[in-house]
Amino acid sequence: QVQLVESGGGLVQPGGSLRLSCTASGHFSRDDMEWYRQGPGEQRELVATVTSGGSTNYADSVKGRFTISRDVAKNTVYLQMNNLKPEDTAVYYCHVPWLGPTGYLYHFWGQGTQVTVSS
């Protein structure tokens, strides 16, 4: 069974930085890896994507502050978050959309890690 294990969340002051990590038990070198977040009372939203080829995309709200990267050999995706703002407070989830051999699209999620930005 595929597992995604996240780490790196915590409490940080506005303007601070955190780095999230997500390690997959399977091999997803051919798949996109993504970070989502869900704030209190809000819907889950896509934050950043890194493709199998290394291309990246970001939500407008985090452009210039967050950087997504991946280490294929370690099956790990990272989210470096700089200049954090209170509105970045959320539970952050790692996500891998995996297209199976039958054409069915599976969605694998991590357990979530809390990020709180507050003074």
Side-chain angles (χ1 to χ4, degrees):
Q1 184 174 355
V2 174
Q3 285 189 321
L4 302 176
V5 179
E6 300 145 347
S7 62
L11 173 64
V12 63
Q13 293 186 342
S17 297
L18 284 173
R19 189 176 84 150
L20 306 182
S21 301
C22 171
T23 299
S25 60
H27 293 272
F28 296 108
S29 60
R30 298 181 180 180
D31 303 283
D32 297 351
M33 300 186 80
E34 301 175 325
W35 286 98
Y36 279 74
R37 69 183 180 187
Q38 187 167 16
E42 299 179 359
Q43 291 188 335
R44 194 171 296 189
E45 64 171 349
L46 178 61
V47 175
T49 299
V50 58
T51 69
S52 57
S55 298
T56 58
N57 287 289
Y58 300 93
D60 288 343
S61 58
V62 306
K63 281 181 182 177
R65 301 187 299 120
F66 290 13
T67 302
I68 189 171
S69 61
R70 66 192 295 171
D71 185 328
V72 174
K74 295 182 178 179
N75 299 318
T76 299
V77 61
Y78 305 97
L79 186 68
Q80 177 66 44
M81 305 184 294
N82 298 327
N83 190 22
L84 282 160
K85 304 176 180 181
E87 51 263 42
D88 295 317
T89 295
V91 178
Y92 284 71
Y93 297 91
C94 179
H95 172 249
V96 175
W98 181 71
L99 188 63
T102 63
Y104 183 81
L105 185 64
Y106 294 84
H107 295 274
F108 297 114
W109 293 93
Q111 80 283 2
T113 185
Q114 176 70 47
V115 171
T116 302
V117 185
S118 175
S119 55

